[in-house]
Amino acid sequence: MTTHGDPATQSGAPAVAARTGPPDDAEDPPATTGDDTLPAALEGLRAAIGATSFPLSLPSAEPARRTAAGLTDQLDDYLLPRLTRLDAPLLVVVGGSTGAGKSTLVNSLVQARVSAAGVLRPTTRSPVLVCSPADSSWFRQGELLPGLTRTNEPSEDPGTLQLVTAPALPPGLAFLDAPDIDSVVDANRALAGQLLAAADLWLFVTTAARYADAVPWELLRSARSRGAVIAMVLDRVPAEASDEIAAHLSEMLAEQGLGQAPLFVLPETWVDGQGLLPGRVTAPLADWFARLAADADARAAVVRQTLDGALAAVHPAIEGLADAADEQVETADALDERVQAAYRGAHRTVEQGLTDGRLLRGEVLARWQEFVGTGEFFRTLEARIGRLRDRLIAAVTGRPAPAAELRTAIESQLVTLLRGVAAEAAENAYTGWKAHPAGAALLEPGLAHPGDDLPERAERLVREWQRGVLDLVRAEGGDKRFVARTAAYAVNATGLAVMIAVFASTAFIPTGLEVATGAGTTVAAQAVLQAIFGDQAVRTLANKARVDLLDRVRTLLDEEAARYLARTEAARPGPETADALRRAATRVEIARHRSGLTTGEGDR
Ligand SMILES: Nc1nc2c(ncn2[C@@H]2O[C@H](COP(=O)(O)OP(=O)(O)OP(=O)(O)O)[C@@H](O)[C@H]2O)c(=O)[nH]1
Ligand SMILES: [Mg+2]
């Protein structure tokens, strides 16, 4: 009645043991001392993974986060404890779809109802580990799967591991009945994956009805790629379809590179009053495990193969993590560049505004002409300009001295320009990020506009610059020809002239001057500007004042850009992260080869 696949895999010692040769430790002694040991290398790897994060929302980020979490779990749950106790009992994790009969099979193999089997799906929600009483202290002490709280009672909490002993089970072998792998319950699915990663041997249970489902095959492929030792159970197979289904499943296994995995085909049958399968149905599987339990070398070979396979899979997995970390850094750089380009553009606009005369229009121009028109300006200047004075004063009707008004006009004109470019830059940076998924995820609406305190800061900037110009005139103008040495007003007037010169800093007079005003004042203003620009000393001062203004504008815009850059900075992995991962993985690889674990099976 009992049928199963390739009988060759089930004769003598378990087939998996036959495939793994003894470790070649004649040349390479197992590493046990110093920093080259596998445990030390794995601790280093764990730290390197812990130092890595993938905060930017990229397609590679979520898989990388999962891989990192999975690797960390596997290091803690299995690799590190297993390496320190290579002789610990072999753990068979029973996995598969819900209702496949996993719990029923485990109960039947240990001949006791240790794990509830039932009609409600899913039944098993928290793992149940059954071992020989002799092995219970190892599993209870919690080296393996340290994150799961040990309990003696059945539990629904996926954070617990129920421990049961079964006298029928020989020492050296334990079964872990896992929740279903394709559960609708998220926690079940995650836990099943974690448990399988802690298995020395995967016992994969599927049914005649479900063996073609996709999820199990995905898991099997990943197990295979990790070099885990796998055995398959095809459960509840109707007698008439047995050959056909077994052949088809064998074919599928071969296609997936799992042709070597022992396959046990269990016929559909009735469970007894205890919910156990008849002994004759489970006999081939029970025998296979009995031989494994009795053969310490075979068990050690299984452990080595799975362990080495898992270690061999570390390097490619870490390579993927390192690439994802690099991508994070590159993306952060690219996002930064979008912001910097927007604010560079803003700075350029201000620079242009200082050369194309646009600041010399409207109010500033009107105030300048008033200012010049009073004649007070000229009293402060040297004779060369002074010669113009009489002529100009005649041309310009006397008006109150509007130095303060000119200064205010300059301030408001500059502030308007700064607010404009800051608004434009914020919008451009916002659009630039919005167009990138990782950028969009970092945005918040306020970033589309300049910072709340920008108007205030712009005003302060201009006032400080104006004060700076006056300081400059005072410091440098003391022994210059054009400043009357004593008059405070001269400093003020020259300062304003310097500011105007900054606004038209090429030695040309903006055309706006002509259109904006009546002929008389235009002549005056123009003449004065020519006189001013003709003066080397004023030009020098104007250049310094211009550089100073642009420096301050740069600082202001940098502060604006910082609102964006702080976000990428917070998200950016350190530049060393990816290299640290790669170095740690290389160290593991070297330690693995030196450890004597390597059988060749893991080097796929
Ligand atoms: N007739 C028959 N019923 C079976 C067989 N194996 C399991 N069952 C029944 O199928 C139902 C599900 O079996 P379980 O052992 O609970 O299945 P499971 O894989 O542990 O399910 P989850 O814990 O939900 O993942 C139970 O009612 C079992 O009694 C079998 O070979 N024949
Ligand atoms: Mg179950």
Side-chain angles (χ1 to χ4, degrees):
M1 184 81 186
T2 303
T3 60
H4 43 77
D6 182 3
T9 60
Q10 290 161 52
S11 58
V16 286
R19 288 191 281 134
T20 54
D24 179 15
D25 53 8
E27 284 180 24
D28 300 313
T32 50
T33 54
D35 263 350
D36 295 344
T37 61
L38 255 175
L42 290 176
E43 292 287 2
L45 181 74
R46 198 188 180 291
I49 297 172
T52 315
S53 60
F54 309 90
L56 292 176
S57 119
L58 294 169
S60 63
E62 190 44 43
R65 275 178 223 132
R66 271 202 306 272
T67 302
L71 268 172
T72 306
D73 277 348
Q74 200 188 23
L75 282 165
D76 292 343
D77 290 343
Y78 179 65
L79 294 172
L80 286 164
R82 191 25 121 183
L83 271 170
T84 44
R85 272 290 307 276
L86 279 171
D87 60 342
L90 183 127
L91 183 63
V92 179
V93 175
V94 184
S97 307
T98 184
K102 299 181 294 297
S103 302
T104 303
L105 189 63
V106 169
N107 291 341
S108 306
L109 286 170
V110 304
Q111 289 160 49
R113 252 191 108 117
V114 291
S115 182
V119 286
L120 288 177
R121 300 272 71 83
T123 301
T124 309
R125 285 168 180 265
S126 87
V128 180
L129 190 148
V130 52
C131 61
S132 151
D135 290 334
S136 86
S137 68
W138 160 249
F139 290 111
R140 194 169 298 279
Q141 90 191 41
E143 298 282 322
L144 206 73
L145 291 163
L148 300 178
T149 311
R150 274 41 176 181
T151 80
N152 293 320
E153 306 301 324
S155 160
E156 291 268 284
D157 177 356
T160 61
L161 176 63
Q162 189 197 345
L163 291 179
V164 191
T165 55
L169 201 56
L173 191 69
F175 291 102
L176 192 153
D177 183 18
D180 54 315
I181 47 154
D182 47 0
S183 185
V184 288
V185 184
D186 279 355
N188 267 18
R189 232 180 19 245
L191 179 60
Q194 186 185 357
L195 295 171
L196 285 166
D200 292 312
L201 193 158
W202 288 37
L203 185 64
F204 224 87
V205 183
T206 186
T207 61
R210 311 238 358 223
Y211 71 93
D213 288 1
V215 175
W217 286 102
E218 230 168 79
L219 268 171
L220 282 168
R221 268 194 296 277
S222 102
R224 188 201 156 272
S225 75
R226 285 191 287 189
V229 178
I230 300 168
M232 291 288 297
V233 174
L234 181 60
D235 210 0
R236 310 191 64 168
V237 183
E240 65 279 9
S242 177
D243 288 348
E244 191 189 327
I245 294 174
H248 187 210
L249 178 56
S250 296
E251 211 174 280
M252 286 178 82
L253 285 167
E255 270 168 22
Q256 301 293 334
L258 289 158
Q260 299 266 16
L263 169 63
F264 299 90
V265 180
L266 273 53
E268 175 63 299
T269 179
W270 294 106
V271 293
D272 67 13
Q274 282 235 71
L276 305 187
L277 299 167
R280 61 184 160 76
V281 166
T282 52
L285 190 56
D287 289 351
W288 191 75
F289 279 121
R291 281 198 300 276
L292 192 56
D295 185 343
D297 287 344
R299 280 204 314 277
V302 169
V303 168
R304 280 210 170 80
Q305 181 181 326
T306 297
L307 194 51
D308 188 56
L311 291 170
V314 161
H315 199 269
I318 292 293
E319 198 49 53
L321 287 189
D323 289 349
D326 280 341
E327 210 185 330
Q328 293 272 321
V329 174
E330 283 156 21
T331 305
D333 288 348
L335 290 176
D336 282 0
E337 176 48 31
R338 287 178 191 208
V339 171
Q340 275 147 358
Y343 284 92
R344 269 200 308 272
H347 194 263
R348 234 180 353 257
T349 305
V350 174
E351 232 174 337
Q352 271 161 15
L354 294 185
T355 53
D356 64 11
R358 91 176 63 155
L359 288 164
L360 269 185
R361 285 178 199 136
E363 190 70 6
V364 171
L365 181 62
R367 297 296 156 229
W368 164 244
Q369 282 161 344
E370 271 176 18
F371 178 62
V372 169
T374 61
E376 285 183 49
F377 175 69
F378 299 105
R379 280 199 288 281
T380 68
L381 297 182
E382 231 271 328
R384 190 163 59 83
I385 297 174
R387 276 199 295 279
L388 291 166
R389 187 180 57 195
D390 299 338
R391 200 150 52 82
L392 293 171
I393 288 175
V396 180
T397 54
R399 268 169 283 177
E405 284 174 33
L406 173 57
R407 201 169 156 170
T408 308
I410 289 172
E411 181 185 324
S412 89
Q413 185 85 311
L414 257 181
V415 167
T416 304
L417 176 70
L418 293 178
R419 290 177 68 161
V421 299
E424 198 184 331
E427 205 182 308
N428 287 343
Y430 194 89
T431 320
W433 274 23
K434 191 133 202 214
H436 193 299
L442 292 178
L443 284 175
E444 51 135 4
L447 286 173
H449 312 288
D452 288 341
D453 59 347
L454 179 89
E456 197 184 295
R457 284 190 296 134
E459 280 161 26
R460 197 164 58 235
L461 179 154
V462 176
R463 280 198 302 273
E464 281 170 8
W465 172 66
Q466 288 179 329
R467 262 202 300 281
V469 172
L470 296 186
D471 288 347
L472 198 63
V473 169
R474 230 172 264 122
E476 306 218 351
D479 52 355
K480 298 283 188 286
R481 289 167 295 123
F482 59 90
V483 177
R485 283 156 213 263
T486 50
Y489 183 77
V491 170
N492 208 9
T494 310
L496 287 166
V498 167
M499 291 173 210
I500 292 296
V502 167
F503 283 11
S505 54
T506 53
F508 102 119
I509 297 147
T511 49
L513 289 174
E514 284 107 3
V515 288
T517 58
T521 49
T522 307
V523 171
Q526 224 166 337
V528 172
L529 279 170
Q530 266 161 351
I532 290 169
F533 292 136
D535 191 297
Q536 181 55 43
V538 172
R539 275 216 304 273
T540 307
L541 280 179
N543 273 339
K544 286 188 180 172
R546 183 171 171 277
V547 168
D548 180 40
L549 177 60
L550 287 172
D551 278 353
R552 289 174 195 268
V553 170
R554 190 180 302 284
T555 306
L556 179 85
L557 293 173
D558 282 352
E559 283 163 7
E560 283 290 292
R563 297 175 311 140
Y564 279 93
L565 302 180
R567 283 161 194 267
T568 40
E569 201 46 47
R572 182 197 307 271
E576 279 291 293
T577 314
D579 286 346
L581 279 173
R582 291 191 179 101
R583 272 198 308 275
T586 303
R587 214 178 129 203
V588 169
E589 195 57 11
I590 292 169
R592 177 172 83 92
H593 283 289
R594 297 174 55 149
S595 69
L597 273 175
T598 315
T599 60
E601 286 289 324
D603 290 330
R604 276 179 264 264

